[in-house]
Amino acid sequence: MELYKLEKVSKIYHVANEKTHALDHIDLNINKGEIVVILGPSGSGKSTMLNILSGIDNPTSGKVFFDNKRIDKLNEKELTNYRKDNLGFIFQSYNLIANLNVLENVELGKELAKEPLNIKDLLELVGLKEHMKKYPYQLSGGQMQRVAIARAVVKNPSVLFCDEPTGALDEKTGKIVLSLLQEINQKYHTTIIIVTHNP
Ligand code: ADP
Ligand code: MG
């Protein structure tokens, strides 16, 4: 089942007199439940692609469909609902709230969710149940990213966007984070879209 479809999507940024073709006539299909990796060097347009798929930015030309509906034509309110109801995000920087503990950070992700997952089960899955009273400064990078994953996944999004999720981690820890994403994909059938420059 097709979840995303891009037709001839281009994005051109204009800054001063400079034009940057960040995306040039991209066609792409992403099926429900897939894990998709978008691989390319820095500056190749990966974040631009994520921004367009997630409705944070609009293409200069072309069409973007989610569940057979155009999302490049939605108004602000429709876009907010699209993101709120369907999407989760994780980034290279974990963006945890420093003065909230693990449990509270994950609870934040539950706000406004229609059918949130059970937090304790999720903390167990990401291996942080014994650490749920700790604050971000008391955690390793890998643990912080696992909190960020739990926070993104707790609302049970149909799509999880991961922008360089292992960018700040060593290779071994990065692999643990990727295995966790795979487990989440299998357990919750979350469509996972990862962008990275690291093969
Ligand atoms: P990646 O994530 O693969 O490193 P980006 O999508 O961030 O690549 O950037 C692709 C190209 O578009 C780069 O040349 C970058 O400088 C340019 N770019 C990205 N965002 C903007 C913006 N908001 N304004 C102008 N140029 C941008
Ligand atoms: Mg980027």
Side-chain angles (χ1 to χ4, degrees), residues 75-178:
N75 64 34
E76 272 310 313
K77 185 160 192 293
E78 292 167 327
L79 274 176
T80 304
N81 286 332
Y82 160 62
R83 288 192 290 260
K84 177 167 71 68
D85 294 341
N86 299 292
L87 312 185
F89 294 89
I90 64 169
F91 301 96
Q92 173 172 343
S93 51
Y94 322 112
N95 300 334
L96 301 181
I97 309 290
N99 58 352
L100 298 181
N101 67 29
V102 168
L103 179 64
E104 292 161 343
N105 264 284
V106 176
E107 276 174 341
L108 266 191
K110 223 172 94 166
E111 299 280 324
L112 307 174
K114 285 181 176 158
E115 291 172 44
L117 302 175
N118 180 291
I119 289 199
K120 299 278 160 66
D121 290 350
L122 192 55
L123 286 174
E124 180 111 53
L125 178 75
V126 301
L128 289 171
K129 211 168 176 192
E130 319 78 88
H131 301 288
M132 66 184 188
K133 296 292 174 195
K134 286 190 180 173
Y135 288 84
Y137 77 93
Q138 297 169 313
L139 301 172
S140 69
Q143 289 170 330
M144 284 195 272
Q145 191 60 299
R146 285 186 274 139
V147 178
I149 291 171
R151 182 184 56 188
V153 167
V154 69
K155 72 172 182 180
N156 203 4
S158 43
V159 189
L160 181 61
F161 288 103
C162 311
D163 196 348
E164 305 276 3
T166 62
L169 303 173
D170 60 63
E171 189 174 337
K172 181 162 162 269
T173 314
K175 283 183 172 161
I176 294 171
V177 163
L178 291 176

Side-chain angles (χ1 to χ4, degrees), residues 9-12 21-26 44-46 48-49 52:
V9 166
S10 294
K11 180 71 183 183
I12 303 170
H21 282 255
L23 301 175
D24 192 6
H25 293 85
I26 305 286
S44 60
K46 305 182 299 295
T48 301
M49 174 69 99
I52 286 175

